[in-house]
PDB file of all heavy atoms in Angstrom:
ATOM      1  N   ALA C  37    -132.933 -89.211  19.421  1.00  0.00           N
ATOM      2  CA  ALA C  37    -132.300 -89.733  18.206  1.00  0.00           C
ATOM      3  C   ALA C  37    -130.795 -89.542  18.206  1.00  0.00           C
ATOM      4  O   ALA C  37    -130.062 -90.343  17.653  1.00  0.00           O
ATOM      5  CB  ALA C  37    -132.898 -89.056  16.973  1.00  0.00           C
ATOM      6  N   CYS C  38    -130.343 -88.462  18.819  1.00  0.00           N
ATOM      7  CA  CYS C  38    -128.923 -88.138  18.713  1.00  0.00           C
ATOM      8  C   CYS C  38    -128.124 -88.909  19.760  1.00  0.00           C
ATOM      9  O   CYS C  38    -128.459 -88.900  20.939  1.00  0.00           O
ATOM     10  CB  CYS C  38    -128.709 -86.645  18.882  1.00  0.00           C
ATOM     11  SG  CYS C  38    -126.984 -86.191  18.725  1.00  0.00           S
ATOM     12  N   HIS C  39    -127.038 -89.550  19.311  1.00  0.00           N
ATOM     13  CA  HIS C  39    -126.235 -90.332  20.251  1.00  0.00           C
ATOM     14  C   HIS C  39    -125.639 -89.440  21.339  1.00  0.00           C
ATOM     15  O   HIS C  39    -125.453 -89.881  22.462  1.00  0.00           O
ATOM     16  CB  HIS C  39    -125.123 -91.062  19.511  1.00  0.00           C
ATOM     17  CG  HIS C  39    -124.231 -90.134  18.754  1.00  0.00           C
ATOM     18  ND1 HIS C  39    -124.498 -89.732  17.474  1.00  0.00           N
ATOM     19  CD2 HIS C  39    -123.102 -89.490  19.129  1.00  0.00           C
ATOM     20  CE1 HIS C  39    -123.567 -88.892  17.082  1.00  0.00           C
ATOM     21  NE2 HIS C  39    -122.705 -88.714  18.066  1.00  0.00           N
ATOM     22  N   TYR C  49    -127.696 -81.068  22.922  1.00  0.00           N
ATOM     23  CA  TYR C  49    -127.365 -82.050  21.902  1.00  0.00           C
ATOM     24  C   TYR C  49    -128.586 -82.615  21.195  1.00  0.00           C
ATOM     25  O   TYR C  49    -128.467 -83.486  20.335  1.00  0.00           O
ATOM     26  CB  TYR C  49    -126.528 -83.188  22.498  1.00  0.00           C
ATOM     27  CG  TYR C  49    -125.221 -82.697  23.082  1.00  0.00           C
ATOM     28  CD1 TYR C  49    -124.799 -83.099  24.344  1.00  0.00           C
ATOM     29  CD2 TYR C  49    -124.422 -81.806  22.369  1.00  0.00           C
ATOM     30  CE1 TYR C  49    -123.613 -82.633  24.880  1.00  0.00           C
ATOM     31  CE2 TYR C  49    -123.238 -81.333  22.900  1.00  0.00           C
ATOM     32  CZ  TYR C  49    -122.835 -81.749  24.152  1.00  0.00           C
ATOM     33  OH  TYR C  49    -121.659 -81.283  24.671  1.00  0.00           O
ATOM     34  N   SER C  51    -131.236 -82.717  18.438  1.00  0.00           N
ATOM     35  CA  SER C  51    -131.029 -82.161  17.099  1.00  0.00           C
ATOM     36  C   SER C  51    -131.849 -80.897  16.899  1.00  0.00           C
ATOM     37  O   SER C  51    -131.358 -79.920  16.340  1.00  0.00           O
ATOM     38  CB  SER C  51    -131.309 -83.206  16.032  1.00  0.00           C
ATOM     39  OG  SER C  51    -132.631 -83.606  16.092  1.00  0.00           O
ATOM     40  N   ARG C  54    -130.157 -77.913  18.153  1.00  0.00           N
ATOM     41  CA  ARG C  54    -129.106 -77.450  17.237  1.00  0.00           C
ATOM     42  C   ARG C  54    -129.732 -76.632  16.103  1.00  0.00           C
ATOM     43  O   ARG C  54    -129.212 -75.593  15.725  1.00  0.00           O
ATOM     44  CB  ARG C  54    -128.364 -78.632  16.618  1.00  0.00           C
ATOM     45  CG  ARG C  54    -127.714 -79.587  17.592  1.00  0.00           C
ATOM     46  CD  ARG C  54    -127.119 -80.734  16.776  1.00  0.00           C
ATOM     47  NE  ARG C  54    -126.818 -81.902  17.577  1.00  0.00           N
ATOM     48  CZ  ARG C  54    -125.656 -82.099  18.201  1.00  0.00           C
ATOM     49  NH1 ARG C  54    -124.717 -81.203  18.113  1.00  0.00           N
ATOM     50  NH2 ARG C  54    -125.452 -83.194  18.899  1.00  0.00           N
ATOM     51  N   SER C  96    -120.437 -80.553  17.433  1.00  0.00           N
ATOM     52  CA  SER C  96    -120.772 -81.697  18.277  1.00  0.00           C
ATOM     53  C   SER C  96    -121.734 -82.600  17.514  1.00  0.00           C
ATOM     54  O   SER C  96    -122.223 -83.588  18.030  1.00  0.00           O
ATOM     55  CB  SER C  96    -121.386 -81.238  19.604  1.00  0.00           C
ATOM     56  OG  SER C  96    -122.588 -80.554  19.365  1.00  0.00           O
ATOM     57  N   CYS C  97    -121.983 -82.236  16.276  1.00  0.00           N
ATOM     58  CA  CYS C  97    -122.872 -83.030  15.406  1.00  0.00           C
ATOM     59  C   CYS C  97    -122.018 -83.738  14.372  1.00  0.00           C
ATOM     60  O   CYS C  97    -121.186 -83.120  13.717  1.00  0.00           O
ATOM     61  CB  CYS C  97    -123.874 -82.102  14.718  1.00  0.00           C
ATOM     62  SG  CYS C  97    -124.818 -82.897  13.395  1.00  0.00           S
ATOM     63  N   THR C  98    -122.226 -85.030  14.237  1.00  0.00           N
ATOM     64  CA  THR C  98    -121.397 -85.785  13.299  1.00  0.00           C
ATOM     65  C   THR C  98    -122.025 -85.844  11.911  1.00  0.00           C
ATOM     66  O   THR C  98    -121.469 -86.446  11.003  1.00  0.00           O
ATOM     67  CB  THR C  98    -121.206 -87.228  13.792  1.00  0.00           C
ATOM     68  OG1 THR C  98    -122.502 -87.828  13.891  1.00  0.00           O
ATOM     69  CG2 THR C  98    -120.534 -87.262  15.141  1.00  0.00           C
ATOM     70  N   GLY C  99    -123.215 -85.255  11.795  1.00  0.00           N
ATOM     71  CA  GLY C  99    -123.883 -85.299  10.495  1.00  0.00           C
ATOM     72  C   GLY C  99    -124.324 -86.696  10.119  1.00  0.00           C
ATOM     73  O   GLY C  99    -124.398 -87.050   8.948  1.00  0.00           O
ATOM     74  N   CYS C 100    -124.631 -87.496  11.128  1.00  0.00           N
ATOM     75  CA  CYS C 100    -124.961 -88.895  10.854  1.00  0.00           C
ATOM     76  C   CYS C 100    -126.366 -89.058  10.292  1.00  0.00           C
ATOM     77  O   CYS C 100    -126.693 -90.056   9.702  1.00  0.00           O
ATOM     78  CB  CYS C 100    -124.831 -89.711  12.124  1.00  0.00           C
ATOM     79  SG  CYS C 100    -126.092 -89.326  13.355  1.00  0.00           S
ATOM     80  N   ARG C 101    -127.194 -88.069  10.506  1.00  0.00           N
ATOM     81  CA  ARG C 101    -128.581 -88.047  10.028  1.00  0.00           C
ATOM     82  C   ARG C 101    -129.445 -89.177  10.622  1.00  0.00           C
ATOM     83  O   ARG C 101    -130.388 -89.647   9.996  1.00  0.00           O
ATOM     84  CB  ARG C 101    -128.634 -88.098   8.504  1.00  0.00           C
ATOM     85  CG  ARG C 101    -127.734 -87.036   7.861  1.00  0.00           C
ATOM     86  CD  ARG C 101    -128.252 -86.566   6.550  1.00  0.00           C
ATOM     87  NE  ARG C 101    -128.456 -87.628   5.589  1.00  0.00           N
ATOM     88  CZ  ARG C 101    -129.150 -87.492   4.469  1.00  0.00           C
ATOM     89  NH1 ARG C 101    -129.704 -86.345   4.180  1.00  0.00           N
ATOM     90  NH2 ARG C 101    -129.298 -88.494   3.645  1.00  0.00           N
ATOM     91  N   ARG C 102    -129.126 -89.581  11.808  1.00  0.00           N
ATOM     92  CA  ARG C 102    -130.001 -90.540  12.458  1.00  0.00           C
ATOM     93  C   ARG C 102    -131.284 -89.827  12.865  1.00  0.00           C
ATOM     94  O   ARG C 102    -132.382 -90.374  12.788  1.00  0.00           O
ATOM     95  CB  ARG C 102    -129.319 -91.130  13.691  1.00  0.00           C
ATOM     96  CG  ARG C 102    -130.136 -92.229  14.360  1.00  0.00           C
ATOM     97  CD  ARG C 102    -129.363 -92.920  15.472  1.00  0.00           C
ATOM     98  NE  ARG C 102    -130.056 -94.115  15.897  1.00  0.00           N
ATOM     99  CZ  ARG C 102    -130.903 -94.158  16.920  1.00  0.00           C
ATOM    100  NH1 ARG C 102    -131.151 -93.068  17.611  1.00  0.00           N
ATOM    101  NH2 ARG C 102    -131.516 -95.271  17.240  1.00  0.00           N
ATOM    102  N   CYS C 103    -131.143 -88.582  13.298  1.00  0.00           N
ATOM    103  CA  CYS C 103    -132.307 -87.822  13.741  1.00  0.00           C
ATOM    104  C   CYS C 103    -133.293 -87.595  12.604  1.00  0.00           C
ATOM    105  O   CYS C 103    -134.488 -87.445  12.823  1.00  0.00           O
ATOM    106  CB  CYS C 103    -131.874 -86.486  14.326  1.00  0.00           C
ATOM    107  SG  CYS C 103    -130.699 -85.600  13.301  1.00  0.00           S
ATOM    108  N   THR C 113    -130.499 -82.533   9.806  1.00  0.00           N
ATOM    109  CA  THR C 113    -129.650 -81.718  10.675  1.00  0.00           C
ATOM    110  C   THR C 113    -128.311 -81.417  10.024  1.00  0.00           C
ATOM    111  O   THR C 113    -127.760 -80.331  10.172  1.00  0.00           O
ATOM    112  CB  THR C 113    -129.412 -82.453  12.004  1.00  0.00           C
ATOM    113  OG1 THR C 113    -130.667 -82.878  12.503  1.00  0.00           O
ATOM    114  CG2 THR C 113    -128.746 -81.555  13.021  1.00  0.00           C
ATOM    115  N   GLN C 114    -127.807 -82.374   9.294  1.00  0.00           N
ATOM    116  CA  GLN C 114    -126.517 -82.150   8.650  1.00  0.00           C
ATOM    117  C   GLN C 114    -126.582 -80.938   7.710  1.00  0.00           C
ATOM    118  O   GLN C 114    -125.675 -80.114   7.683  1.00  0.00           O
ATOM    119  CB  GLN C 114    -126.124 -83.399   7.860  1.00  0.00           C
ATOM    120  CG  GLN C 114    -124.701 -83.355   7.377  1.00  0.00           C
ATOM    121  CD  GLN C 114    -124.386 -84.502   6.443  1.00  0.00           C
ATOM    122  OE1 GLN C 114    -125.243 -84.973   5.703  1.00  0.00           O
ATOM    123  NE2 GLN C 114    -123.163 -84.967   6.477  1.00  0.00           N
TER     124      GLN C 114
HETATM  125  S1  SF4 D 502    -127.044 -85.707  12.595  1.00  0.00           S
HETATM  126 FE1  SF4 D 502    -126.439 -87.240  14.122  1.00  0.00          FE
HETATM  127  S2  SF4 D 502    -125.028 -86.136  15.481  1.00  0.00           S
HETATM  128 FE2  SF4 D 502    -126.168 -84.583  14.328  1.00  0.00          FE
HETATM  129  S3  SF4 D 502    -127.912 -84.102  15.623  1.00  0.00           S
HETATM  130 FE3  SF4 D 502    -128.597 -85.692  14.216  1.00  0.00          FE
HETATM  131  S4  SF4 D 502    -128.272 -87.584  15.363  1.00  0.00           S
HETATM  132 FE4  SF4 D 502    -127.058 -85.998  16.389  1.00  0.00          FE
END
Side-chain angles (χ1 to χ4, degrees):
Chain C
C38 181
H39 58 273
Y49 300 133
S51 62
R54 302 176 197 271
S96 62
C97 169
T98 60
C100 69
R101 309 210 304 166
R102 185 173 191 266
C103 48
T113 310
Q114 191 188 32

